[in-house]
Amino acid sequence: MNILILGSGGREYSIGLALSKEEDGRGQHNITFCPGNGATDQLGQNINIKDYNELASWAKQNNIELTIVGPEAPLVDGVVDIFKANDLTIFGPSAKAAQLEGSKVYMKNILKKYNIPTAAFIETQNQDEANNFIDLQTKLPIVVKADGLCGGKGVIIATSKEEAKDAVRDMLSGESFGDAGNAVIVEEFLDGYELSIFAICDGENYVVLPAAQDHKRIGDGDTGPNTGGMGAYAPTPLVNDDIYQKVEDRVIKPTLEGMKKEGAPFAGVLFIGVMVVDGEPIILEYNVRFGDPECEILMPLMASSVSELFYKGATKQLDKFDLKMKDQFGVAVVMASANYPYGSSEPSEIIVDEIHDEILKENSHISYAGVTKEDDTLFATGGRVLLCIGFGDDISTARNRAYALCGQVHFAGKKIRTDIAYQALN
Ligand code: AMP
Ligand code: GLY
């Protein structure tokens, strides 16, 4: 199949890597990344077309049979609508359905309207109204969120009422997040453990992947500022059949039904950010795409065809998809550059030692993210640079392999967390 993947991160690399290992009746897939990164051209070709109408024309001319969208921004900007208007097959939600991630106010109102469990909240554009709600709270911390997309930075966990009011003021004034802060959500703090659950949806049917756990803070023991995610593992033992069933019955089904009623049927990845509080799954947020780094472990753990999953998701045939996962665990450790998440770093050459241990070689790999290539040499160019991923029959073995691989990868200023999967192993 001719497949186009939009995006440039480790998530898109991992989708491409999984697809590059498949064959259909016509042989291996032809994979194109737009724009891709310095390593994705080993899995296919990179192109760089920014305008979505132009990209749709390119896709038509090049007989693209399936387009997969990695990040949220193109979805919110309507790339799926443009491709569909051109009779192209594309996996992802329409711009309207992508508002589940594009606007936290929209998302919270859908949750409320369809009785889906979430933290008690108000949405407002008014400081006094926010202050009244904050004054009524009997517990701290209080959570303040900007409405729009803020690259994962629009959430303040305020430890005093003053701090919460200040956060609302900074957001509403446009100072902290520009237009994304025109409206705010103020909500109760949920005390529990977080899960990432992914439902692959086609508007009507869905397939649920094994739950993963991300590690959002930069430092060991969940300390320091939030990041895009410093590591993940799956499947997590912190979930059981009861939680999966509750998520299906109370969350996924009413969301898919609700979105149909809203005239915005949801197709694509519904990323359910769950907080488990006293055994009950409560929804923190929705995203409309795969988590990164969660995707990098879920793709290689799939035993059934990845292209078939996305193709059936894009063509309303998920009722005919049989999900099979490998009977293994995966642990991904992110290697970030020195100044992450505060700023950029000087590019530095990436050196990967030759791996002599056959078992390690077979049960680990690298997923490349923030890298560029010059004269066949890869350079770390900032942010999250790459992920070392290990697999095994248990989490501890998978994790040991991920860290063993980390020891073989070098670039100036490399930074990792040393405790990925600690909640599962404690
Ligand atoms: P979000 O962008 O909404 O996922 O928020 C980012 C992170 O903030 C989440 O992954 C949680 O760790 C934390 N968070 C958001 N909302 C809450 C809440 N109501 N209670 C506790 N933690 C929260
Ligand atoms: N790993 C969290 C995210 O992709 O938002």
Side-chain angles (χ1 to χ4, degrees), residues 304-318:
S304 25
S305 158
V306 170
S307 59
E308 189 189 334
L309 174 67
F310 290 128
Y311 190 81
K312 290 193 165 158
T315 54
K316 241 190 188 184
Q317 302 184 72
L318 281 179

Side-chain angles (χ1 to χ4, degrees), residues 122-137 142 144 161 164-169 172 184-187:
I122 58 155
E123 61 150 295
T124 182
Q125 304 186 7
N126 179 288
Q127 180 81 46
D128 292 336
E129 211 172 23
N131 289 356
N132 288 340
F133 182 84
I134 291 166
D135 283 331
L136 285 174
Q137 297 307 304
I142 296 166
V144 180
K161 291 186 174 182
K165 290 175 186 175
D166 289 347
V168 170
R169 187 171 311 115
L172 289 179
V184 298
I185 299 283
V186 185
E187 70 179 25

